Amino acid sequence: IVYAIDTGLVTTVSFLAGVSISLVTRDKVLLAGLIQIIAGTLAIFFGSYISTKAQKHFFEHQIEREKREIEEDPEKETQEIRDIFQDLGFNKEEQEIAVRRITRDKESWLRFMVQEEIGISPGLIDNPYEIGLVSAFSFLLGAVPAILPFFLFENVNQDLFISAVSVLTFLFILGIAKTRITKVYWLKSGIETVFIGAISCGGGFFLGRIVAGFFH
């Protein structure tokens, strides 16, 4: 969510700043901006969907492989359980107790091996459609503060200024909001998010200036 919102904010305001140099009139800038937002939303939806689906297939393949190994070579898998508990400091007697309890049910056995040996939690495998939709909606949410001023005011330079202020404010709020999960100090997170976003926006703006120079 944070990645997609940040992308929507930064790419939209950078794009608007770049095209406003050549497309002077508000209507043209607005149209170009809306096209960019639609393209960006589709790109981030399909990008998130494809990458999450690939990850899901990889995880499912690993789980199937582990399931097959339990069926075909239970002795090897049993020894791997002992090795895991040995690494955790369990003595041989405790290892055997763990082996008996884990291997008495194949579903529990598979779940244990997948989590402890491979490091995958089957219940936490992401849904590609869900991740795609969340990413796309987050991108759109991030694009709103950047393009909204162009709907409200006629002057392109004024719109750009308000858009830039809105984006930096939203980035600061985003930086604070994510601390609910990260538990980082809110002010530090807010300033860091604004700083990184400002560099990205500035880079996009100056690249737009450079490119525009070739058409004048």
mmCIF file of all heavy atoms in Angstrom, residues 112-135:
data_model
loop_
_atom_site.group_PDB
_atom_site.id
_atom_site.type_symbol
_atom_site.label_atom_id
_atom_site.label_comp_id
_atom_site.label_asym_id
_atom_site.label_seq_id
_atom_site.Cartn_x
_atom_site.Cartn_y
_atom_site.Cartn_z
ATOM 1 N N PHE A 112 4.580 -28.223 9.452
ATOM 2 C CA PHE A 112 5.816 -27.976 10.208
ATOM 3 C C PHE A 112 7.010 -27.857 9.278
ATOM 4 O O PHE A 112 7.818 -26.919 9.396
ATOM 5 C CB PHE A 112 6.052 -29.105 11.220
ATOM 6 C CG PHE A 112 7.359 -28.982 11.955
ATOM 7 C CD1 PHE A 112 7.479 -28.169 13.068
ATOM 8 C CD2 PHE A 112 8.486 -29.666 11.513
ATOM 9 C CE1 PHE A 112 8.689 -28.046 13.740
ATOM 10 C CE2 PHE A 112 9.702 -29.548 12.171
ATOM 11 C CZ PHE A 112 9.797 -28.729 13.289
ATOM 12 N N MET A 113 7.134 -28.785 8.333
ATOM 13 C CA MET A 113 8.283 -28.776 7.432
ATOM 14 C C MET A 113 8.281 -27.543 6.534
ATOM 15 O O MET A 113 9.328 -26.950 6.259
ATOM 16 C CB MET A 113 8.292 -30.051 6.574
ATOM 17 C CG MET A 113 8.435 -31.339 7.357
ATOM 18 S SD MET A 113 9.898 -31.380 8.443
ATOM 19 C CE MET A 113 11.213 -31.364 7.226
ATOM 20 N N VAL A 114 7.100 -27.174 6.071
ATOM 21 C CA VAL A 114 6.993 -25.997 5.195
ATOM 22 C C VAL A 114 7.395 -24.730 5.946
ATOM 23 O O VAL A 114 8.124 -23.884 5.421
ATOM 24 C CB VAL A 114 5.552 -25.869 4.649
ATOM 25 C CG1 VAL A 114 5.338 -24.508 3.999
ATOM 26 C CG2 VAL A 114 5.279 -26.967 3.631
ATOM 27 N N GLN A 115 6.945 -24.619 7.195
ATOM 28 C CA GLN A 115 7.240 -23.414 7.964
ATOM 29 C C GLN A 115 8.677 -23.387 8.462
ATOM 30 O O GLN A 115 9.350 -22.348 8.381
ATOM 31 C CB GLN A 115 6.283 -23.312 9.158
ATOM 32 C CG GLN A 115 4.850 -23.006 8.742
ATOM 33 C CD GLN A 115 3.902 -22.949 9.931
ATOM 34 O OE1 GLN A 115 4.197 -23.458 11.009
ATOM 35 N NE2 GLN A 115 2.742 -22.346 9.738
ATOM 36 N N GLU A 116 9.153 -24.506 8.997
ATOM 37 C CA GLU A 116 10.461 -24.519 9.645
ATOM 38 C C GLU A 116 11.630 -24.744 8.680
ATOM 39 O O GLU A 116 12.699 -24.170 8.862
ATOM 40 C CB GLU A 116 10.488 -25.596 10.743
ATOM 41 C CG GLU A 116 9.482 -25.372 11.853
ATOM 42 C CD GLU A 116 9.695 -24.048 12.571
ATOM 43 O OE1 GLU A 116 10.862 -23.633 12.731
ATOM 44 O OE2 GLU A 116 8.689 -23.434 12.972
ATOM 45 N N GLU A 117 11.412 -25.583 7.671
ATOM 46 C CA GLU A 117 12.512 -25.889 6.745
ATOM 47 C C GLU A 117 12.571 -24.885 5.590
ATOM 48 O O GLU A 117 13.642 -24.388 5.234
ATOM 49 C CB GLU A 117 12.368 -27.302 6.200
ATOM 50 C CG GLU A 117 13.560 -27.705 5.328
ATOM 51 C CD GLU A 117 13.388 -29.079 4.692
ATOM 52 O OE1 GLU A 117 12.256 -29.590 4.647
ATOM 53 O OE2 GLU A 117 14.393 -29.619 4.218
ATOM 54 N N ILE A 118 11.396 -24.594 5.003
ATOM 55 C CA ILE A 118 11.367 -23.709 3.835
ATOM 56 C C ILE A 118 11.132 -22.251 4.232
ATOM 57 O O ILE A 118 11.548 -21.332 3.529
ATOM 58 C CB ILE A 118 10.269 -24.171 2.839
ATOM 59 C CG1 ILE A 118 10.472 -25.648 2.481
ATOM 60 C CG2 ILE A 118 10.301 -23.333 1.565
ATOM 61 C CD1 ILE A 118 9.386 -26.214 1.588
ATOM 62 N N GLY A 119 10.442 -22.040 5.354
ATOM 63 C CA GLY A 119 10.169 -20.672 5.788
ATOM 64 C C GLY A 119 8.925 -20.067 5.164
ATOM 65 O O GLY A 119 8.828 -18.850 5.000
ATOM 66 N N ILE A 120 7.952 -20.923 4.785
ATOM 67 C CA ILE A 120 6.711 -20.451 4.177
ATOM 68 C C ILE A 120 5.555 -20.738 5.132
ATOM 69 O O ILE A 120 5.441 -21.838 5.655
ATOM 70 C CB ILE A 120 6.432 -21.163 2.831
ATOM 71 C CG1 ILE A 120 7.558 -20.902 1.836
ATOM 72 C CG2 ILE A 120 5.088 -20.733 2.245
ATOM 73 C CD1 ILE A 120 7.458 -21.741 0.567
ATOM 74 N N SER A 121 4.696 -19.745 5.323
ATOM 75 C CA SER A 121 3.474 -19.956 6.094
ATOM 76 C C SER A 121 2.316 -20.079 5.106
ATOM 77 O O SER A 121 1.940 -19.079 4.486
ATOM 78 C CB SER A 121 3.230 -18.791 7.049
ATOM 79 O OG SER A 121 2.061 -19.014 7.813
ATOM 80 N N PRO A 122 1.772 -21.292 4.904
ATOM 81 C CA PRO A 122 0.755 -21.500 3.871
ATOM 82 C C PRO A 122 -0.432 -20.547 3.970
ATOM 83 O O PRO A 122 -0.997 -20.132 2.970
ATOM 84 C CB PRO A 122 0.313 -22.955 4.109
ATOM 85 C CG PRO A 122 1.486 -23.598 4.763
ATOM 86 C CD PRO A 122 2.102 -22.534 5.622
ATOM 87 N N GLY A 123 -0.815 -20.187 5.179
ATOM 88 C CA GLY A 123 -1.961 -19.305 5.366
ATOM 89 C C GLY A 123 -1.694 -17.862 4.993
ATOM 90 O O GLY A 123 -2.621 -17.048 4.932
ATOM 91 N N LEU A 124 -0.426 -17.519 4.738
ATOM 92 C CA LEU A 124 -0.065 -16.132 4.434
ATOM 93 C C LEU A 124 0.344 -15.935 2.977
ATOM 94 O O LEU A 124 0.930 -14.919 2.639
ATOM 95 C CB LEU A 124 1.075 -15.685 5.362
ATOM 96 C CG LEU A 124 0.741 -15.642 6.852
ATOM 97 C CD1 LEU A 124 1.966 -15.202 7.658
ATOM 98 C CD2 LEU A 124 -0.433 -14.707 7.133
ATOM 99 N N ILE A 125 0.044 -16.899 2.118
ATOM 100 C CA ILE A 125 0.343 -16.748 0.692
ATOM 101 C C ILE A 125 -0.666 -15.774 0.092
ATOM 102 O O ILE A 125 -1.873 -15.959 0.205
ATOM 103 C CB ILE A 125 0.288 -18.108 -0.040
ATOM 104 C CG1 ILE A 125 1.368 -19.046 0.530
ATOM 105 C CG2 ILE A 125 0.493 -17.921 -1.534
ATOM 106 C CD1 ILE A 125 1.330 -20.442 -0.053
ATOM 107 N N ASP A 126 -0.171 -14.723 -0.536
ATOM 108 C CA ASP A 126 -1.032 -13.642 -1.033
ATOM 109 C C ASP A 126 -1.886 -14.074 -2.219
ATOM 110 O O ASP A 126 -1.472 -14.892 -3.047
ATOM 111 C CB ASP A 126 -0.185 -12.436 -1.438
ATOM 112 C CG ASP A 126 0.493 -11.781 -0.246
ATOM 113 O OD1 ASP A 126 -0.133 -11.739 0.820
ATOM 114 O OD2 ASP A 126 1.639 -11.318 -0.392
ATOM 115 N N ASN A 127 -3.086 -13.470 -2.298
ATOM 116 C CA ASN A 127 -3.974 -13.661 -3.442
ATOM 117 C C ASN A 127 -3.613 -12.643 -4.520
ATOM 118 O O ASN A 127 -3.666 -11.432 -4.263
ATOM 119 C CB ASN A 127 -5.429 -13.474 -2.991
ATOM 120 C CG ASN A 127 -6.414 -13.710 -4.123
ATOM 121 O OD1 ASN A 127 -6.345 -13.080 -5.173
ATOM 122 N ND2 ASN A 127 -7.348 -14.613 -3.901
ATOM 123 N N PRO A 128 -3.245 -13.079 -5.738
ATOM 124 C CA PRO A 128 -2.812 -12.133 -6.781
ATOM 125 C C PRO A 128 -3.846 -11.064 -7.112
ATOM 126 O O PRO A 128 -3.505 -9.887 -7.287
ATOM 127 C CB PRO A 128 -2.558 -13.045 -7.990
ATOM 128 C CG PRO A 128 -2.255 -14.381 -7.401
ATOM 129 C CD PRO A 128 -3.107 -14.482 -6.182
ATOM 130 N N TYR A 129 -5.138 -11.457 -7.212
ATOM 131 C CA TYR A 129 -6.186 -10.475 -7.525
ATOM 132 C C TYR A 129 -6.300 -9.430 -6.423
ATOM 133 O O TYR A 129 -6.428 -8.233 -6.680
ATOM 134 C CB TYR A 129 -7.534 -11.177 -7.712
ATOM 135 C CG TYR A 129 -7.628 -11.991 -8.975
ATOM 136 C CD1 TYR A 129 -7.580 -13.383 -8.929
ATOM 137 C CD2 TYR A 129 -7.767 -11.370 -10.212
ATOM 138 C CE1 TYR A 129 -7.664 -14.140 -10.088
ATOM 139 C CE2 TYR A 129 -7.847 -12.118 -11.388
ATOM 140 C CZ TYR A 129 -7.800 -13.503 -11.313
ATOM 141 O OH TYR A 129 -7.870 -14.248 -12.470
ATOM 142 N N GLU A 130 -6.254 -9.894 -5.195
ATOM 143 C CA GLU A 130 -6.381 -8.985 -4.055
ATOM 144 C C GLU A 130 -5.229 -7.992 -4.019
ATOM 145 O O GLU A 130 -5.434 -6.782 -3.849
ATOM 146 C CB GLU A 130 -6.426 -9.791 -2.756
ATOM 147 C CG GLU A 130 -6.608 -8.945 -1.513
ATOM 148 C CD GLU A 130 -6.622 -9.789 -0.249
ATOM 149 O OE1 GLU A 130 -7.049 -10.962 -0.310
ATOM 150 O OE2 GLU A 130 -6.201 -9.272 0.802
ATOM 151 N N ILE A 131 -4.002 -8.487 -4.181
ATOM 152 C CA ILE A 131 -2.829 -7.616 -4.156
ATOM 153 C C ILE A 131 -2.859 -6.638 -5.327
ATOM 154 O O ILE A 131 -2.525 -5.458 -5.183
ATOM 155 C CB ILE A 131 -1.529 -8.451 -4.195
ATOM 156 C CG1 ILE A 131 -1.420 -9.319 -2.933
ATOM 157 C CG2 ILE A 131 -0.307 -7.552 -4.319
ATOM 158 C CD1 ILE A 131 -1.375 -8.543 -1.632
ATOM 159 N N GLY A 132 -3.290 -7.122 -6.499
ATOM 160 C CA GLY A 132 -3.397 -6.247 -7.671
ATOM 161 C C GLY A 132 -4.384 -5.120 -7.443
ATOM 162 O O GLY A 132 -4.098 -3.950 -7.742
ATOM 163 N N LEU A 133 -5.556 -5.441 -6.902
ATOM 164 C CA LEU A 133 -6.588 -4.437 -6.658
ATOM 165 C C LEU A 133 -6.168 -3.446 -5.579
ATOM 166 O O LEU A 133 -6.379 -2.234 -5.708
ATOM 167 C CB LEU A 133 -7.909 -5.114 -6.271
ATOM 168 C CG LEU A 133 -8.634 -5.848 -7.406
ATOM 169 C CD1 LEU A 133 -9.813 -6.637 -6.857
ATOM 170 C CD2 LEU A 133 -9.108 -4.864 -8.472
ATOM 171 N N VAL A 134 -5.580 -3.951 -4.504
ATOM 172 C CA VAL A 134 -5.113 -3.069 -3.424
ATOM 173 C C VAL A 134 -4.041 -2.111 -3.944
ATOM 174 O O VAL A 134 -4.054 -0.913 -3.642
ATOM 175 C CB VAL A 134 -4.567 -3.896 -2.234
ATOM 176 C CG1 VAL A 134 -3.821 -3.009 -1.243
ATOM 177 C CG2 VAL A 134 -5.704 -4.618 -1.524
ATOM 178 N N SER A 135 -3.122 -2.634 -4.750
ATOM 179 C CA SER A 135 -2.050 -1.804 -5.310
ATOM 180 C C SER A 135 -2.609 -0.742 -6.252
ATOM 181 O O SER A 135 -2.211 0.426 -6.202
ATOM 182 C CB SER A 135 -1.032 -2.675 -6.050
ATOM 183 O OG SER A 135 -0.433 -3.608 -5.178
#
